[in-house]
Amino acid sequence: MDKPTLVDADMKAGEALLNKLDETKFDVKAALWFYMPDSEEWRLILASPTVDAEGPKKAYEKVQSQLQGLDQGYELSLQDISLVSPSDNLIKVLKSVIKTGKKISHIRFTRNVINNVFIEDAYIYRLT
């Protein structure tokens, strides 16, 4: 089966959400679209210390409140998002080769192996 395509609208929606989270001082250390080969879907992965400090439920509630404030043109829901700790293994692996700083970048990272971890496809906004 062919891999689903990450479309421009998804990339813009992810960036819009990241901007909203930055405006509200929700600390996002890493943000990227990541292709999950097992489930054949794209997930917006956000790594935040809030997950460790306040727990995942509180972190998801904060992200949900910002999702509701996004323009109607963006089709992004909490089901498209995974919140993880900045110490998550995938985040650590990616940060070992890419660092963007706090700014929003647009880096496509496809079919690479880092420390024996295969990355099928990712679209990276931030890795700090």
Side-chain angles (χ1 to χ4, degrees):
M1 187 170 177
D2 287 335
K3 176 177 87 174
T5 303
L6 182 67
V7 296
D8 192 49
D10 295 330
M11 292 182 260
K12 287 180 180 175
E15 183 175 356
L17 176 60
L18 183 55
N19 282 323
K20 290 280 282 178
L21 293 170
D22 286 347
E23 287 171 12
T24 62
K25 308 293 188 227
F26 183 84
D27 192 10
V28 179
K29 299 292 187 193
L32 62 136
W33 281 102
F34 186 78
Y35 179 68
M36 315 283 266
D38 293 341
S39 59
E40 297 181 338
E41 68 180 355
W42 285 91
R43 301 284 294 175
L44 179 60
I45 297 177
L46 303 173
S48 173
T50 304
V51 172
D52 295 327
E54 299 179 35
K57 182 178 182 209
K58 191 64 136 174
Y60 275 105
E61 288 171 356
K62 290 180 177 188
V63 170
Q64 177 63 38
S65 71
Q66 296 312 308
L67 271 175
Q68 293 169 343
L70 280 183
D71 291 336
Q72 295 297 325
Y74 296 118
E75 292 186 28
L76 187 61
S77 75
L78 211 52
Q79 293 175 343
D80 301 316
I81 299 169
S82 292
L83 283 170
V84 299
S85 166
S87 62
D88 179 82
N89 188 53
L90 174 65
I91 302 303
K92 289 193 305 190
V93 164
L94 286 168
K95 282 174 39 175
S96 72
V97 295
I98 300 172
K99 289 194 173 46
T100 64
K102 191 77 170 152
K103 68 179 175 38
I104 296 177
S105 299
H106 301 275
I107 300 169
R108 196 65 184 250
F109 195 76
T110 306
R111 301 190 61 75
N112 287 285
V113 177
I114 308 168
N115 297 337
N116 294 324
V117 176
F118 179 66
I119 310 295
E120 171 74 29
D121 203 354
Y123 184 81
I124 300 166
Y125 299 108
R126 175 181 296 156
L127 286 169
T128 62

